[in-house]
Amino acid sequence: MASKTIADELAKKQKEISVAEFFEKNKHILGFDNPSRSLLVCVKEAVDNSLDACEEANMLPDIAVEVRQVQGHEDEYTVLVEDNGPGIVKNQMGKVFGKLLYGSRFHAIRQSRGQQGIGISAAVMYGQISTGKATRILSKISPDEPAYDVELIIDTKKNEADVKKMEVILWEGKDHGTRVEITLIGKYKRGKASVYDYMKSTSIVNPHALFTLKEPDGTLNTFDRVADQMPKKCEEIKPHPLGIELGTFLNMCRSTQSYKLTSFLVNEFSRVSYRTARDITEAAGVSENMKPQDVTIEQARSMLEAIKNVKIMAPPTDCLSPIGDMLIRKGLRKEIDSKFCYTVTREPKVFGGTPFLVEAGLVYGGELDPQEPIRILRFANRVPLMFQQGGCAMTHAIEEMNWRNYGFEQPGGSGIPRGPAMVLVHIAATNVPFTSEAKEAVADVPELIGEVQNALKDCARRLKTHINKREKLTKVREKYDIIQKILPEIANKTAKMLNLPVPNIDNVITQIMNIIHVDSKVEYAKVNDQSVTSVEIWVTNYTPQERSMVLLCRVPDTLVAKASPTPSKIEGGFIHWDLKTLEPSKRIILRFDLMGLERGDYEDTELYYSRAKGEVVGADPA
Amino acid sequence: MASKTIADELAKKQKEISVAEFFEKNKHILGFDNPSRSLLVCVKEAVDNSLDACEEANMLPDIAVEVRQVQGHEDEYTVLVEDNGPGIVKNQMGKVFGKLLYGSRFHAIRQSRGQQGIGISAAVMYGQISTGKATRILSKISPDEPAYDVELIIDTKKNEADVKKMEVILWEGKDHGTRVEITLIGKYKRGKASVYDYMKSTSIVNPHALFTLKEPDGTLNTFDRVADQMPKKCEEIKPHPLGIELGTFLNMCRSTQSYKLTSFLVNEFSRVSYRTARDITEAAGVSENMKPQDVTIEQARSMLEAIKNVKIMAPPTDCLSPIGDMLIRKGLRKEIDSKFCYTVTREPKVFGGTPFLVEAGLVYGGELDPQEPIRILRFANRVPLMFQQGGCAMTHAIEEMNWRNYGFEQPGGSGIPRGPAMVLVHIAATNVPFTSEAKEAVADVPELIGEVQNALKDCARRLKTHINKREKLTKVREKYDIIQKILPEIANKTAKMLNLPVPNIDNVITQIMNIIHVDSKVEYAKVNDQSVTSVEIWVTNYTPQERSMVLLCRVPDTLVAKASPTPSKIEGGFIHWDLKTLEPSKRIILRFDLMGLERGDYEDTELYYSRAKGEVVGADPA
């Protein structure tokens, strides 16, 4: 008999590792690396699940969170999260809470907060590892059904729930919903990266949800619902062909039910019509009628190459849910008040077959310290990311841009710039490429980094224009103030000396100033319980000639009332006024009201002009 | 019949997700987020496996790496890695390469590079996803056995190997070993975070291995073996009790074979004697004779609390393998040449039951740019980390230290400091807590961050002392130069003028200088094919009194020869000389040779003194 080799000895040690065992040993991968973060991760997983479930069920979410300190143990807390969502059917409870890599959102191509089938089970596991205690779940799926009260732990060797208790109960006063109670070692704090901070940020980008947070000291915080409609539901889509991996494509070819290659392409991908499918097969040099199952590796490669070159529409937007201009401004304003705030929502793009879009906001000035690094607020799929900032692609995108072009300090042209600014970046995708299952940092996918930089450059460019405009307006104002002081004096004195009437010096002023001056004022008030934002725009012709111009003012997506004079049109997010004849030294005042905004939603006008001769100060060329 | 609720509808979408499917969709978690990184990850996983296998088999590793561009496809490469290790038995080949979460190192508590059972299977999967091509493996376990030539892919739905081909072959000229060939989409480059960079760093910290790298353009690089002994083997240990999780502890209690609590503690943990076990049970208020299986949650808690307070020895070092002073210096010298280099290896500590130790090195000066942020080289378990620097605990430790205390620029007292320095940090642990399965960034475990800061502070303190000493020596030299120029001139001229003999001005010099001056010189040479590092230390008494002192010189762990005068002892890494009588203006020259070092291993002396009166320049108080 052959003697045993070293390889035989080593082979004895080879073993299968259960997913639960793996994450039990490597819980830091899931975010449980220190007590205060662990507490927050637990709250986050439960709240994200509640939000996703309510949205799938088309119910306005009411989510109550409580963090309760366990008597006698200062590092032990119970996290209780209760929602009014659809509940979970009895025979799924064990799997949803007691099995890692089990879920409903992994296989669907649609934006959602949960995407891995890990989160809540990981929290259950961390609870039992750190305190030995089981997790309790209550679930009721309809007013006509009883509720189930379950206590379970995860058997990590088998990656299965070990149900310690299951009771049928009457959950009085509850029609439907889920309640989770997890006891874990944690640390409750306020301030940065805290449970309170997370809930506040989450409530801002989810205005349709009502949140309450009861803190360990008994303080009850309410984050009110401010919108009564559900956000537009994200539709599930088919994969987009651009950037799809070769192996994935081949798998799809092999397992499709379609008989013809073109039908396969049309049926299994989004944005592929028969026309497009034929363009692809033709460019790739393959027969459009061939059986997809017969496609070779080389043929697949040619098709993927063809897909890059054939014109295919960007993915539909209805699988994605951007936060939007208004809420991004709110998110930034929660941190700092400032007059300058610019936001941008980019068009959807694709990376590796995954549709995504980037939004960004930049706020400048106010009480921000010009010596400090700029603060960064990161969001992915409407969830605030509170950790691992240094490891996130959004941070890398910021570090690798040249901010000195926009007036920021950035020694060496790389790294986080310093200046009195804060940025918010949101990546929405049907599958966000996180660096780990903790879902706190986005991976360095080049298309993402590029789009984040594009979005921030949009904002920074506007900032630079705004700063230049402000400096220019300041100079103009100073010049004008001086003129306004001196000239009348000169006129008066000269007139007195010469014993002549005081001349009209308007002409002189217009000769010296020689600009069309545009200034504006915004006021917010509640009138008869209605929110009214009143805007006044002053256009003054400080030139010696009669002037005309078209003036545009950007308005948000809300009701515009009482615009006067009558605009030539209100279209595409702008009010257009056609100012036909403005005589020298004359001023025209344009007015309008915006209804239904909150204080601070609209603080500064964004003005553009076209078809004007001469220099315009206070508005940008359209 | 009850109508279907929303919960019932949602329940239909709930599905189990295979581990392979999960990582297929989330390959960026494994590090495959862009082509050049993917190529490097593939090389790294294969090389790490080869190193681990050779070490377990106690064989000096010969590892040949080739990166070959695939004809006709400029973004497609084949990575070939062949070792002379123990090989893999036939019926394990499919599992080792074709099944995620399968391995031999997950369950053992011992330092190793692989620890997850994922790495090489992930590379196989990435290969098939990106190119559609199978991975080829050759394996031979003994000269008397045939070799197997296997081609396989991973069936991601089942997380199992799908073997496309299996042949028995004669692997001529090969006694035993493994060869892996993976074809993937990648990008080959040189410079930072490249395959070459990784191999060079890996060869430095693994001097017992011979590496060759053949690049796509045909260039063959050899990284020679420089040590002929295997590094000390890491022993498997039992868990250390300090910081173990409550749930894990309870599981151990429940599943132990021991009948008594004290036996359980002694048998299942490292560093627990019967004495210690009784101290623990007594402090916890539990009976030492109770059955471990009966331990309640509260009792377990008390015991874990007691463990914190009872004196338990730090874990044994033999489960860990530090890189060591010499190789850390080499690692830093590969990047930059400089006279000042200080390294430290800290004592082992524990976090969460896991033994670990931290080593650090700091190099300063040379051609490093004082305006640039300091460069950071990170290692974990003797593997260089090339990505995700911003997300790593080692980086966070550096950012959160106050470097201004040590002469570096660091606005605001946080962030990566600027200065002409480079640091190397190595964390060795029986299970390194990475932030993700890509194993590139270490998680923010407080004990790790603290130890890294301690290690770097040790180095930085020595740097500050060195800088101060150098500045002082420079001042002394300037003063002495001036004195040496002027005084003799004055003496000569005066003597001439007065027509008297030139006086001896030594006394005057000693009165003015009034220091004991210590200077040194180090030279490296090859004498008869032997490496000899010669050191000369000059001690000069520039004071008016007779002096005595003990001088110490730090020496590395190598042969010290020809020390003269005879030292009083050579002990604890230092040569001690007892200098009894040194008269004013007299100098004594101390000499010794160090054998067996390479050029640059020992460049500068580290000198200390004790029992000296008066000011000593050029040595530090012991």
Side-chain angles (χ1 to χ4, degrees):
Chain A
M1 247 185 90
S3 60
K4 287 257 176 247
T5 62
I6 297 172
D8 291 303
E9 286 304 311
L10 294 180
K12 288 192 204 157
K13 301 185 196 172
Q14 297 279 3
K15 255 186 269 199
E16 198 164 334
I17 301 153
S18 120
V19 165
E21 265 193 301
F22 176 80
F23 283 120
E24 180 178 23
K25 187 169 185 188
N26 292 297
K27 54 194 192 312
H28 39 266
I29 288 182
L30 298 168
F32 300 105
D33 57 16
N34 65 63
S36 61
R37 183 174 172 188
S38 301
L39 187 68
L40 178 50
V41 172
C42 188
V43 170
K44 191 172 113 139
E45 294 298 345
V47 168
D48 283 356
N49 267 15
S50 294
L51 284 169
D52 275 344
C54 289
E55 276 169 28
E56 272 165 73
N58 214 30
M59 300 171 172
L60 285 175
D62 288 356
I63 301 176
V65 176
E66 181 178 350
V67 181
R68 203 186 275 171
Q69 189 150 24
V70 171
Q71 278 267 21
H73 293 301
E74 75 167 9
D75 60 357
E76 205 170 295
Y77 292 86
T78 302
V79 169
L80 304 94
V81 178
E82 181 175 323
D83 65 53
N84 64 336
I88 299 167
V89 301
K90 171 182 167 218
N91 61 9
Q92 289 290 327
M93 288 173 80
K95 292 181 184 172
V96 166
F97 291 92
K99 195 175 178 66
L100 282 97
L101 285 188
Y102 186 86
S104 59
R105 300 178 192 105
F106 178 82
H107 293 96
I109 303 181
R110 166 180 56 204
Q111 175 182 333
S112 58
R113 296 166 188 78
Q115 55 183 41
Q116 302 181 132
I118 292 179
I120 196 65
S121 301
V124 171
M125 188 167 69
Y126 177 70
Q128 84 196 39
I129 288 173
S130 59
T131 65
K133 293 179 182 166
T135 288
R136 181 188 185 210
I137 306 124
L138 274 68
S139 169
K140 188 166 178 178
I141 65 173
S142 127
D144 310 319
E145 299 272 343
Y148 292 95
D149 185 344
V150 169
E151 278 179 31
L152 57 78
I153 59 167
I154 300 181
D155 177 338
T156 53
K157 285 208 173 359
K158 298 186 196 164
N159 190 29
E160 265 175 23
D162 179 1
V163 178
K164 298 299 192 189
K165 186 185 101 173
M166 159 97 75
E167 279 179 13
V168 177
I169 62 166
L170 234 46
W171 194 354
E172 306 251 9
K174 191 85 178 172
D175 281 349
H176 46 75
T178 310
R179 177 183 170 97
V180 187
E181 298 178 13
I182 302 179
T183 303
L184 65 155
I185 297 292
K187 188 166 157 193
Y188 191 84
K189 59 172 193 169
R190 275 273 197 142
K192 195 167 164 228
S194 64
V195 173
Y196 182 89
D197 193 23
Y198 159 74
M199 298 226 51
K200 191 151 175 62
S201 299
T202 301
S203 82
I204 285 172
V205 295
N206 293 287
H208 60 295
L210 161 70
F211 295 97
T212 57
L213 168 63
K214 190 170 180 193
E215 305 185 75
D217 65 1
T219 312
L220 181 64
N221 308 278
T222 306
F223 304 92
D224 272 308
R225 173 175 287 123
V226 291
D228 282 316
Q229 327 93 302
M230 294 292 292
K232 196 170 59 61
K233 195 165 178 181
C234 288
E235 295 305 319
E236 215 180 305
I237 61 157
K238 302 249 187 265
H240 191 278
L242 191 64
I244 196 163
E245 298 276 10
L246 180 55
T248 311
F249 184 76
L250 276 168
N251 278 346
M252 290 172 77
C253 290
R254 306 258 156 81
S255 50
T256 182
Q257 310 281 25
S258 300
Y259 295 122
K260 266 175 50 164
L261 190 53
T262 38
S263 313
F264 159 70
L265 292 170
V266 170
N267 292 334
E268 308 243 357
F269 289 95
S270 76
R271 298 306 213 206
V272 178
S273 62
Y274 274 101
R275 161 92 259 164
T276 312
R278 282 196 287 271
D279 288 343
I280 294 171
T281 54
E282 190 177 319
V286 296
S287 156
E288 61 179 72
N289 291 317
M290 75 176 289
K291 280 168 59 178
Q293 296 81 1
D294 294 340
V295 165
T296 66
I297 290 181
E298 283 309 319
Q299 286 172 326
R301 252 187 171 268
S302 309
M303 276 192 274
L304 291 193
E305 197 56 39
I307 282 166
K308 283 187 208 161
N309 299 320
V310 165
K311 233 176 146 43
I312 303 180
M313 270 172 76
T317 42
D318 52 9
C319 59
L320 297 173
S321 180
I323 294 176
D325 163 76
M326 198 71 60
L327 297 179
I328 292 178
R329 283 172 188 274
K330 263 213 183 72
L332 287 163
R333 254 203 338 274
K334 139 179 164 336
E335 305 288 332
I336 190 80
D337 238 320
S338 157
K339 286 221 80 176
F340 178 80
C341 181
Y342 189 74
T343 70
V344 67
T345 298
R346 300 275 301 174
E347 289 302 306
K349 301 265 185 318
V350 187
F351 76 87
T354 301
F356 76 97
L357 64 77
V358 170
E359 300 176 282
L362 172 70
V363 68
Y364 187 88
E367 284 165 18
L368 291 165
D369 188 340
Q371 300 306 322
E372 286 293 304
I374 66 174
R375 268 195 66 190
I376 305 168
L377 305 178
R378 299 170 295 134
F379 286 79
N381 283 5
R382 284 175 169 253
V383 177
L385 309 185
M386 323 224 65
F387 299 96
Q388 295 184 336
Q389 176 172 296
C392 185
M394 295 188 239
T395 308
H396 301 156
I398 290 170
E399 288 169 338
E400 288 156 32
M401 260 173 70
N402 189 339
W403 288 85
R404 290 181 302 187
N405 285 346
Y406 307 103
F408 289 85
E409 243 188 77
Q410 195 188 27
S414 75
I416 297 182
R418 292 174 180 276
M422 188 180 296
V423 299
L424 186 153
V425 182
H426 176 229
I427 294 178
T430 55
N431 185 51
V432 177
F434 291 108
T435 58
S436 82
E437 291 85 330
K439 298 178 293 182
E440 287 287 351
V442 177
D444 284 343
V445 174
E447 293 90 330
L448 289 178
I449 293 180
E451 268 297 285
V452 170
Q453 288 178 335
N454 288 340
L456 289 171
K457 281 175 186 166
D458 281 354
C459 296
R461 240 175 273 132
R462 291 285 307 141
L463 171 68
K464 189 174 178 192
T465 307
H466 166 89
I467 290 176
N468 290 347
K469 184 167 73 174
R470 231 177 31 179
E471 282 171 0
K472 218 169 174 187
L473 270 171
T474 305
K475 284 205 181 92
V476 164
R477 203 163 286 134
E478 285 170 0
K479 182 175 174 184
Y480 188 69
D481 282 349
I482 289 172
I483 290 171
Q484 283 285 73
K485 282 201 185 75
I486 296 175
L487 285 193
E489 292 245 10
I490 294 175
N492 283 341
K493 285 204 152 73
T494 320
K496 200 165 174 187
M497 282 198 300
L498 300 179
N499 208 20
L500 285 170
V502 179
N504 181 322
I505 50 170
D506 285 351
N507 281 7
V508 184
I509 290 176
T510 57
Q511 300 272 21
I512 297 174
M513 297 288 290
N514 204 26
I515 53 150
I516 300 171
H517 186 238
V518 182
D519 207 347
S520 64
K521 193 170 72 165
V522 177
E523 270 177 8
Y524 174 87
K526 279 253 193 206
V527 178
N528 297 333
D529 218 30
Q530 274 210 311
S531 307
V532 182
T533 305
S534 311
V535 181
E536 246 181 43
I537 304 170
W538 294 18
V539 181
T540 317
N541 180 2
Y542 288 120
T543 78
Q545 289 92 31
E546 186 180 277
R547 297 286 178 196
S548 67
M549 68 196 276
V550 174
L551 190 79
L552 297 88
C553 181
R554 192 191 282 276
V555 284
D557 189 24
T558 191
L559 185 61
V560 176
K562 301 192 191 157
S564 91
T566 309
S568 52
K569 56 181 172 180
I570 302 178
E571 176 187 280
F574 285 94
I575 306 178
H576 297 239
W577 280 282
D578 202 354
L579 305 174
K580 289 255 154 51
T581 48
L582 193 61
E583 292 180 36
S585 304
K586 289 284 173 276
R587 162 179 296 155
I588 179 169
I589 302 180
L590 313 170
R591 289 185 180 86
F592 64 93
D593 287 346
L594 295 168
M595 313 301 289
L597 300 179
E598 282 178 43
R599 179 185 295 281
D601 276 345
Y602 188 90
E603 291 209 301
D604 203 13
T605 55
E606 222 184 292
L607 300 165
Y608 300 89
Y609 67 89
S610 66
R611 292 200 245 126
K613 291 204 184 68
E615 190 181 344
V616 179
V617 174
D620 300 304
Chain B
M1 246 186 89
S3 60
K4 287 257 174 248
T5 61
I6 296 171
D8 291 304
E9 287 304 311
L10 294 180
K12 288 190 202 157
K13 301 186 199 174
Q14 298 278 4
K15 257 187 268 197
E16 198 164 337
I17 302 151
S18 120
V19 165
E21 265 192 303
F22 175 79
F23 283 119
E24 179 177 25
K25 188 170 181 184
N26 292 295
K27 54 193 191 312
H28 38 267
I29 287 182
L30 299 167
F32 300 106
D33 56 16
N34 64 65
S36 62
R37 183 174 173 188
S38 300
L39 186 69
L40 177 50
V41 172
C42 187
V43 170
K44 191 172 115 139
E45 292 299 344
V47 168
D48 283 357
N49 267 15
S50 294
L51 284 169
D52 275 344
C54 289
E55 276 169 27
E56 273 165 73
N58 214 31
M59 300 170 171
L60 285 175
D62 288 355
I63 301 176
V65 176
E66 181 179 349
V67 180
R68 204 186 274 173
Q69 190 150 23
V70 171
Q71 279 267 23
H73 292 301
E74 76 166 8
D75 61 354
E76 208 172 292
Y77 293 85
T78 301
V79 168
L80 305 94
V81 178
E82 181 175 324
D83 65 51
N84 64 335
I88 298 167
V89 301
K90 171 183 166 214
N91 61 8
Q92 289 289 328
M93 289 174 79
K95 291 182 185 171
V96 167
F97 291 92
K99 194 175 178 67
L100 282 98
L101 285 189
Y102 186 86
S104 60
R105 301 176 192 106
F106 177 81
H107 293 96
I109 304 181
R110 167 181 55 203
Q111 176 180 333
S112 58
R113 296 167 189 80
Q115 55 181 42
Q116 300 179 138
I118 292 177
I120 196 66
S121 301
V124 171
M125 188 168 70
Y126 176 71
Q128 83 195 40
I129 288 173
S130 60
T131 65
K133 295 179 180 165
T135 287
R136 180 188 185 210
I137 305 125
L138 274 68
S139 168
K140 189 166 179 178
I141 65 174
S142 129
D144 309 320
E145 300 273 342
Y148 292 95
D149 186 343
V150 170
E151 277 178 32
L152 58 77
I153 58 168
I154 300 182
D155 177 339
T156 53
K157 285 206 172 2
K158 298 185 196 164
N159 191 27
E160 267 176 22
D162 179 3
V163 178
K164 298 299 192 189
K165 187 185 101 175
M166 158 99 73
E167 279 179 13
V168 176
I169 61 164
L170 235 48
W171 195 350
E172 305 251 10
K174 190 87 180 173
D175 280 351
H176 47 77
T178 310
R179 177 183 169 97
V180 186
E181 298 178 13
I182 302 178
T183 302
L184 66 155
I185 296 293
K187 186 166 159 192
Y188 190 84
K189 58 171 194 171
R190 275 274 197 141
K192 195 170 164 224
S194 64
V195 173
Y196 182 89
D197 193 21
Y198 159 73
M199 298 227 50
K200 189 150 175 67
S201 299
T202 300
S203 83
I204 286 172
V205 295
N206 293 287
H208 60 295
L210 161 70
F211 294 97
T212 56
L213 168 63
K214 189 170 181 190
E215 304 186 76
D217 65 2
T219 314
L220 181 65
N221 307 276
T222 306
F223 304 91
D224 271 307
R225 175 174 288 123
V226 292
D228 282 316
Q229 327 94 299
M230 293 293 291
K232 198 172 55 65
K233 197 167 177 176
C234 288
E235 296 304 321
E236 216 180 303
I237 62 158
K238 301 247 188 268
H240 191 277
L242 192 62
I244 196 162
E245 297 277 10
L246 180 55
T248 311
F249 184 77
L250 276 168
N251 279 346
M252 291 172 76
C253 290
R254 305 258 156 81
S255 50
T256 182
Q257 310 282 23
S258 299
Y259 294 124
K260 266 175 51 166
L261 191 51
T262 40
S263 313
F264 159 71
L265 291 170
V266 169
N267 293 335
E268 308 244 357
F269 290 95
S270 75
R271 298 309 212 203
V272 179
S273 62
Y274 275 102
R275 160 92 259 163
T276 311
R278 281 195 289 269
D279 287 342
I280 293 171
T281 54
E282 191 176 319
V286 296
S287 157
E288 60 178 73
N289 291 318
M290 77 178 286
K291 280 165 62 176
Q293 297 80 0
D294 295 342
V295 166
T296 65
I297 290 181
E298 283 308 319
Q299 287 171 325
R301 255 190 168 266
S302 308
M303 277 190 276
L304 292 193
E305 199 55 39
I307 282 165
K308 283 187 210 164
N309 299 320
V310 166
K311 229 170 148 43
I312 303 179
M313 269 171 77
T317 42
D318 53 9
C319 60
L320 297 173
S321 180
I323 294 175
D325 162 77
M326 198 71 60
L327 296 179
I328 292 178
R329 283 172 188 273
K330 263 216 183 69
L332 286 164
R333 254 201 341 270
K334 139 180 165 332
E335 305 288 331
I336 190 78
D337 238 321
S338 157
K339 287 221 81 176
F340 177 80
C341 182
Y342 189 73
T343 70
V344 67
T345 298
R346 302 275 302 172
E347 289 302 306
K349 300 265 185 317
V350 187
F351 76 86
T354 300
F356 76 97
L357 63 77
V358 170
E359 300 177 281
L362 172 70
V363 68
Y364 187 87
E367 283 163 19
L368 291 165
D369 188 340
Q371 300 306 321
E372 284 294 303
I374 66 175
R375 268 196 66 191
I376 304 168
L377 306 178
R378 300 171 294 133
F379 287 79
N381 283 5
R382 286 174 167 254
V383 177
L385 308 186
M386 323 224 65
F387 298 96
Q388 294 183 336
Q389 177 173 296
C392 186
M394 297 187 237
T395 308
H396 299 157
I398 290 170
E399 289 169 339
E400 289 158 34
M401 260 173 70
N402 189 337
W403 287 85
R404 291 181 299 187
N405 285 345
Y406 307 102
F408 289 86
E409 242 188 79
Q410 194 187 30
S414 75
I416 296 181
R418 292 174 182 275
M422 187 180 297
V423 300
L424 185 155
V425 182
H426 176 229
I427 294 178
T430 55
N431 184 51
V432 178
F434 291 109
T435 59
S436 82
E437 292 85 330
K439 299 179 291 180
E440 288 286 353
V442 177
D444 283 343
V445 174
E447 292 90 330
L448 289 178
I449 293 179
E451 267 298 286
V452 170
Q453 289 178 334
N454 288 339
L456 289 171
K457 281 176 187 167
D458 281 353
C459 296
R461 241 176 269 132
R462 292 285 307 140
L463 170 68
K464 190 172 177 194
T465 307
H466 165 88
I467 291 176
N468 289 348
K469 183 166 77 177
R470 231 177 31 178
E471 283 172 0
K472 219 169 173 186
L473 269 170
T474 305
K475 284 206 181 90
V476 164
R477 201 162 289 134
E478 284 169 2
K479 183 173 172 184
Y480 187 68
D481 282 348
I482 290 170
I483 291 171
Q484 286 284 71
K485 281 202 187 74
I486 299 174
L487 285 193
E489 291 245 9
I490 295 174
N492 284 342
K493 285 208 149 74
T494 321
K496 201 165 172 189
M497 281 201 296
L498 300 178
N499 208 19
L500 287 168
V502 180
N504 181 320
I505 49 171
D506 284 352
N507 282 5
V508 185
I509 290 176
T510 58
Q511 301 271 22
I512 296 174
M513 296 287 290
N514 204 23
I515 53 149
I516 300 171
H517 187 238
V518 181
D519 208 346
S520 63
K521 194 171 69 166
V522 178
E523 270 176 7
Y524 174 86
K526 281 253 193 205
V527 178
N528 298 333
D529 219 30
Q530 274 210 311
S531 307
V532 183
T533 306
S534 311
V535 183
E536 246 184 43
I537 304 170
W538 293 16
V539 183
T540 315
N541 180 3
Y542 286 121
T543 79
Q545 287 94 33
E546 185 182 277
R547 298 289 178 194
S548 68
M549 70 196 276
V550 174
L551 190 78
L552 297 88
C553 181
R554 192 191 281 277
V555 285
D557 188 25
T558 191
L559 186 61
V560 176
K562 300 193 191 158
S564 93
T566 309
S568 53
K569 57 182 171 180
I570 302 179
E571 175 187 280
F574 286 94
I575 305 178
H576 298 240
W577 280 282
D578 204 353
L579 307 172
K580 291 249 154 50
T581 50
L582 192 61
E583 292 180 35
S585 306
K586 289 284 174 278
R587 162 178 296 154
I588 177 169
I589 301 178
L590 314 170
R591 290 185 181 85
F592 64 94
D593 286 346
L594 294 169
M595 312 302 290
L597 299 180
E598 281 178 42
R599 179 187 295 281
D601 275 346
Y602 189 90
E603 290 209 300
D604 202 14
T605 55
E606 223 181 292
L607 300 164
Y608 301 90
Y609 68 87
S610 67
R611 293 201 243 126
K613 291 203 182 67
E615 190 180 343
V616 178
V617 175
D620 299 303

